[in-house]
Amino acid sequence: MYKSNNGPQPICVQHRHDMCQSNMLENRFDSSRSLMDEALSLLYYLETSETALKSLLNNKKGTNLVKTLTKIMQRGIYESRAYATLLLKKILEVADPMQIILLERELFAEVLQILHDQISHKATRSAMQILVIICPWGRNRHKAVEAGVISMIIELLMDETFSSERRNLEMAMVVLDMLCQCAEGRSEFLNHGAAIALVSKKILRVSQITSERAVRVLLSVGRFCATPSLLQEMLQLGVVAKLCLVLQVSCGNKTKEKAKELLKLHARVWRESPCVPRNLYDSYPA
């Protein structure tokens, strides 16, 4: 009896067909990804005017542009994520306040991931600049705190590569200052065991901007979160001594005013403490 050998063939043909489709899709994806990388790099290096950037944001698909860049930051390869971050910074620099206020939480998470991965110095700096741009608004402060920005910045302050650049430290203190102006931000700041010591350490060591913002951060938590244990911790970590030193050196009037305000606020607890060096005691404000 004749036995047909055609039985298994449809399965093999189907398998080969599926493999071909898979390879075609993979090649097409690689090709489109390569084109996307080239397009992003071209867009970044083009000297696009502020008017042109605003027109991209203000057209009907403007929000889609921000969402697209956010998706690339999330799913792209090294170069794509870096260029998407740099482009997003450029675009947000010219955005209207309402466009910035309406930014979605996903963007905050992806900016945070860029900071975590540190894929390049330029991408890290652009991610920090994005936070400086978007965090002045109250609604965005809450989104940033929820995303974990404060913990990330504290960790970055302990990173030698990040901390070796003055501009990085200045932006980090600016963002911490803005986020500590809301209750959730202060709570997250104090939840990190190294936060107070790290911020205090940067005073008088980096720049006038860093010192001023660091003192403002300490004033925010010292004014609104002043438990006995926190005040003792600030004494033991040398924060009070550092604030007294601020009053003795040339570091800007705003920094001195904020330091004096905080020292006066808790003078009853701090003024007579043996933790304040005798050579700094005379500078303690009356």
Side-chain angles (χ1 to χ4, degrees):
M1 182 183 293
Y2 173 74
K3 294 183 179 180
S4 172
N5 293 324
N6 295 330
Q9 286 181 2
I11 299 175
C12 294
V13 170
Q14 182 63 43
H15 177 70
R16 285 197 299 272
H17 177 69
D18 290 345
M19 288 291 291
C20 285
Q21 277 195 328
S22 176
N23 290 336
M24 286 173 63
L25 287 171
E26 189 172 327
N27 291 335
R28 192 176 299 171
F29 174 75
D30 288 339
S31 175
S32 63
R33 187 168 64 181
S34 176
L35 288 172
M36 179 177 66
D37 291 341
E38 290 179 16
L40 283 170
S41 109
L42 182 62
L43 277 172
Y44 173 72
Y45 284 110
L46 279 174
E47 291 297 325
T48 312
S49 68
E50 182 176 327
T51 303
L53 288 172
K54 280 189 173 183
S55 69
L56 283 172
L57 273 173
N58 292 331
N59 66 22
K60 292 181 180 179
K61 295 183 179 180
T63 54
N64 290 340
L65 175 62
V66 174
K67 287 181 180 179
T68 299
L69 291 174
T70 304
K71 290 292 184 186
I72 295 170
M73 289 163 65
Q74 179 183 38
R75 300 175 184 174
I77 59 172
Y78 172 90
E79 291 85 355
S80 299
R81 294 177 69 205
Y83 282 125
T85 307
L86 302 178
L87 273 171
L88 183 61
K89 188 267 293 185
K90 269 190 171 184
I91 289 169
L92 292 177
E93 283 178 330
V94 301
D96 296 328
M98 188 53 66
Q99 291 170 320
I100 294 175
I101 290 171
L102 295 175
L103 291 172
E104 297 185 6
R105 297 177 190 276
E106 184 182 16
L107 180 143
F108 292 81
E110 297 316 317
V111 170
L112 193 69
Q113 194 62 46
I114 294 293
L115 289 173
H116 175 271
D117 295 343
Q118 295 194 53
I119 55 179
S120 73
H121 290 300
K122 281 188 175 181
T124 297
R125 177 169 289 194
S126 290
M128 287 302 305
Q129 288 170 320
I130 288 171
L131 291 176
V132 171
I133 293 167
I134 65 181
C135 287
W137 285 269
R139 210 180 275 181
N140 284 350
R141 289 175 189 166
H142 297 295
K143 295 174 190 174
V145 171
E146 287 176 4
V149 169
I150 287 179
S151 293
M152 175 55 62
I153 289 180
I154 299 300
E155 295 299 320
L156 288 172
L157 291 177
M158 293 188 282
D159 184 277
E160 290 183 7
T161 303
F162 180 87
S163 296
S164 63
E165 295 189 27
R166 189 189 75 174
R167 185 62 183 138
N168 283 346
L169 291 173
E170 289 176 345
M171 289 190 291
M173 288 302 163
V174 168
V175 174
L176 283 180
D177 176 27
M178 289 189 288
L179 298 185
C180 283
Q181 291 175 31
C182 67
E184 295 89 342
R186 292 188 292 272
S187 176
E188 284 300 308
F189 179 83
L190 292 174
N191 279 341
H192 197 295
I196 290 177
L198 283 168
V199 168
S200 174
K201 186 178 179 181
K202 302 306 177 186
I203 297 172
L204 302 179
R205 286 193 175 189
V206 183
S207 68
Q208 188 168 311
I209 293 173
T210 305
S211 294
E212 181 189 340
R213 294 294 185 148
V215 171
R216 284 169 59 99
V217 170
L218 295 174
L219 177 58
S220 290
V221 297
R223 178 187 287 154
F224 297 107
C225 311
T227 61
S229 61
L230 175 63
L231 297 181
Q232 286 303 313
E233 181 183 358
M234 294 175 84
L235 264 173
Q236 292 165 5
L237 290 174
V239 175
V240 180
K242 180 65 74 75
L243 293 173
C244 289
L245 185 59
V246 165
L247 301 183
Q248 289 188 334
V249 301
S250 176
C251 61
N253 290 332
K254 288 184 179 179
T255 308
K256 289 179 182 290
E257 288 170 7
K258 298 299 180 184
K260 185 181 290 187
E261 184 179 347
L262 182 52
L263 288 169
K264 281 187 173 182
L265 195 61
H266 302 298
R268 288 184 180 179
V269 177
W270 291 341
R271 187 172 172 80
E272 304 299 331
S273 171
C275 292
V276 180
R278 301 324 302 174
N279 64 314
L280 296 175
Y281 181 80
D282 291 338
S283 63
Y284 202 104

